[in-house]
Amino acid sequence: MSIYSETLSRQKAFFQTGETLSYKFRLGMLKALKKALKDREEEILKALSMDLGKSAFEGYATELGIVYKEIGYLEKHLRKLMKPTRAKTPLTQFKARSFIIHEPMGNTLIMSPWNYPLQLTMVPLAGAIAGGNTAVIKPSRYSQEVSKVMKSIIDETFSDDYIALFEGGHETNTALLDQRWDFIFFTGSPNVGKIVHQAAGKNLTPCILELGGKSPVIIDGTVNMELTARRLAWGKYLNAGQTCVAPDYALVKKGYAEPLIKALKKEIEKMFTSVPFSSSDYPKIINQKHFERIKGLIESSELAFGGKYDEKTLRISPTILYPVKETDAVMQEEIFGPVLPIIEYDDLDKAISFIKRREKPLAFYIFSRNRKDIDKALSSISFGGGCVNDTVVHLTAPELPFGGIGNSGMGCYHGKRSFEAFTHDKAIMDKALWLDLRVRYAPFKGKLKLVKMLMR
Ligand code: NAD
């Protein structure tokens, strides 16, 4: 028996005791998680800085703060979320009471990526706890300092019969996917998402896949350029572009590319100075492999701004590529780095069809004052979620579902959807004993008219 199957069988036994089911237990565990994170805040921020060069501000605003908000939401709404929901009963089933029990999925597996290593592990975990499940967590090998802190937090806060974390690489991933889970929550690339989906399929295990891809932004020039550039630069260069919902490329109305680039340069310098490498607010690329990959993408297109590297600290300066052709290397894969390719369009319909010819994106953004054009883009492009006149911030609202569609993922979470993601809706009809209408029983002679009337 491997350590993974042994842990899972202990977690199965623990789940069977029913201890994870009560409101008191779930609330207590959410509180314990929050307290443990608060106690180790400094250490977490330091680890985020070591792995990704994140400033304390960015580490708090985009990782810890989002986890606290999510836990806070679940604590506040847990009692109501757990309560069975009433449903209407059709007249044909008179007299009965219908309701939905939100039962835990059971023994769950959470696999997370390296780019927001804390947030993308702890937010799903909060959902798993609120839903009354056990969890095994597998963070990415690349963000090892954060993984180390998370491991020690999980080990100190929870019994591993309930929640366990395994560090490790390929063998660990494969061994974990070989186990039979009740539910898998995976965040990562579409390619690995397919492997996870296939592994889950072997046992018909339900899963949520939070994936990535190329998220476009349309800029039609009707919004003030300075504001457009500031909000675009913020979303693009946050975490040095290593954000799943970062605007990947910009489609800009003919005549506005030059003014946009001019405004972007100004905003980038305001945020990170003219020497971004020396700014403590500017993150690094996760590792040499990704550093080289992004360098290759920059070198195969025309450079409009930036394109500077610091091999020692693995930093790549905020970069703009223009003019970019559809066939350039940078347009063939998710960039996941601080590089913004700009392509011009002359007609909104063409920009929309450019996006629709590609995989369904995780996010879509549009900067425009033209309501008709905004509505047209929002209704004709299929994508996970997005913003009008801003970037990335849609994921900060717990009331908004967060997830992709098609190649960018399946299922969603955040806020009440996290609870829903980690629970199964069990439908019940509770029938009264004092009445038993004979309509449904044979013989049916003379009853068709009545059934037609009742089931219109
Ligand atoms: P990845 O797919 O390489 O890795 C994700 C997780 O899967 C890691 O824990 C990794 O250890 C594991 N893994 C890697 N190879 C595996 C394999 N062959 N079998 C089983 N497990 C394996 O992704 P990444 O490089 O860590 O993250 C970047 C990708 O994740 C980007 O595509 C990005 O858009 C996406 N992402 C999506 C979201 C979202 O919320 N939708 C958030 C962050 C990142």
Side-chain angles (χ1 to χ4, degrees), residues 112-115 120 138 173 188-189 192 210-212 244 334 402:
S112 56
W114 50 261
N115 61 332
L120 297 173
K138 168 58 190 48
N173 293 328
S189 61
V192 179
E210 296 285 341
L211 311 177
C244 56
E334 180 180 3
F402 180 67

Side-chain angles (χ1 to χ4, degrees), residues 117-254:
L118 182 91
Q119 190 222 126
L120 297 173
T121 308
M122 295 300 168
V123 170
L125 178 62
I129 294 173
N133 305 275
T134 68
V136 165
I137 302 163
K138 168 58 190 48
S140 170
R141 182 168 47 105
Y142 292 164
S143 41
Q144 45 177 303
E145 294 302 325
V146 177
S147 291
K148 253 191 256 166
V149 183
M150 289 197 299
K151 165 110 186 110
S152 115
I153 287 175
I154 296 294
D155 286 354
E156 279 171 25
T157 314
F158 306 107
S159 143
D160 65 356
D161 291 358
Y162 172 47
I163 297 171
L165 184 149
F166 290 110
E167 295 172 282
H170 189 67
E171 299 80 52
T172 310
N173 293 328
T174 312
L176 285 170
L177 287 175
D178 274 346
Q179 308 303 316
R180 184 166 186 163
W181 305 95
D182 293 317
F183 177 66
I184 300 175
F185 190 100
F186 171 81
T187 308
S189 61
N191 280 344
V192 179
K194 287 175 192 162
I195 297 173
V196 172
H197 198 223
Q198 214 165 21
K202 271 191 269 168
N203 293 310
L204 294 178
T205 299
C207 54
I208 281 187
L209 304 176
E210 296 285 341
L211 311 177
K214 288 181 90 62
S215 297
V217 51
I218 290 181
I219 294 163
D220 71 3
T222 57
V223 175
N224 172 290
M225 265 308 156
E226 193 184 318
L227 185 63
T228 303
R230 194 180 312 138
R231 293 183 179 178
L232 173 60
W234 175 77
K236 178 76 211 187
Y237 302 113
L238 186 73
N239 198 19
Q242 302 164 110
T243 302
C244 56
V245 286
D248 185 279
Y249 63 96
L251 295 173
V252 180
K253 176 104 184 195
K254 222 172 214 135

Side-chain angles (χ1 to χ4, degrees), residues 13-25:
F14 181 66
F15 183 73
Q16 289 310 323
T17 65
E19 210 170 311
T20 66
L21 300 183
S22 74
Y23 168 73
K24 198 173 154 218
F25 179 86

